[in-house]
Amino acid sequence: MAPVFRPFRHDDTEAVVALWGACGLLRPWNDPRRDIARKVAEQPELFLVAAADGAQGSAAAGTVVGAGMAGYDGHRGWVNYLAVAPELQGSGLGRAFMAEFERLLADRGCPKVNVQVREGNEQVLGFYASLGYAPDRAVSLGKSLIADD
Ligand SMILES: CC(C)(COP(=O)(O)OP(=O)(O)OC[C@H]1O[C@@H](n2cnc3c(N)ncnc32)[C@H](O)[C@@H]1OP(=O)(O)O)[C@@H](O)C(=O)NCCC(=O)NCCS
């Protein structure tokens, strides 16, 4: 399909949550609707969906078939929650998505993009490797600042 990328709109919420669920990205400790609300409050223009163009496949025009969040913290760019509808995986949409994020981040002066891959999702490393992403000599650490229940 020819991807049509556009910023997330509030009425995409349920479609995006369903897409993330279908792609295995939901975790009990991350409320996706709360994550969406937080992202909409910070650089919402870097929260994109891919809408079907209706020309190919079974998805009706306008159907959300991909989603992802990017952000630039002034030092690094980040991409989270990248998902392509299972029936369209392998069609080049993920590559196009990352190219769009890289373009938007580079336009802001972002010098480098990082992604984090969860333990258990190592099969996706081949996707990032094919896009030129290499392991950093770093260990990812985290600390909660808000006790999300
Ligand atoms: C990861 C994901 C977004 C990739 O999207 P996609 O549309 O399937 O990827 P593409 O078709 O654009 O593939 C781009 C390239 O990566 C390669 N690739 C894709 N998945 C791969 C894998 N698991 N292993 C090795 N290579 C892979 C493709 O062969 C293609 O290479 P080519 O262009 O040289 O032929 C999609 O598979 C997905 O939504 N996965 C589930 C959610 C997920 O894990 N998200 C990432 C969280 S870090």
Side-chain angles (χ1 to χ4, degrees):
M1 66 172 276
V4 180
F5 296 110
R6 62 166 173 78
F8 170 88
R9 298 189 305 243
H10 181 70
D11 64 358
D12 295 321
T13 300
E14 295 314 312
V16 168
V17 172
L19 176 68
W20 287 341
C23 289
L25 294 182
L26 300 184
R27 293 294 181 275
W29 56 88
N30 284 336
D31 175 343
R33 293 171 187 82
R34 182 167 50 202
D35 289 347
I36 286 172
R38 286 174 173 158
K39 182 59 191 167
V40 166
E42 295 287 342
Q43 299 179 337
E45 67 280 11
L46 295 179
F47 182 10
L48 299 183
V49 300
D53 62 2
Q56 290 149 326
S58 55
T63 304
V64 171
V65 292
M69 294 177 174
Y72 178 41
D73 62 17
H75 182 62
R76 295 286 181 253
W78 295 89
V79 175
N80 289 295
Y81 270 127
L82 178 68
V84 167
E87 64 275 17
L88 288 173
Q89 289 178 11
S91 68
L93 182 53
R95 175 184 289 277
F97 230 117
M98 289 301 293
E100 181 66 0
F101 280 139
E102 290 168 14
R103 185 184 70 78
L104 291 170
L105 290 165
D107 280 354
R108 303 173 85 109
C110 171
K112 185 180 177 198
V113 189
N114 282 48
V115 296
Q116 291 183 307
V117 173
R118 284 195 183 112
E119 266 182 34
N121 198 22
E122 288 82 3
Q123 80 278 357
V124 83
L125 291 173
F127 165 70
Y128 288 112
S130 77
L131 272 53
Y133 287 73
D136 277 334
R137 300 183 63 174
V139 175
S140 181
L141 304 176
K143 176 183 175 181
S144 295
L145 300 180
I146 297 175
D148 289 336
D149 44 72

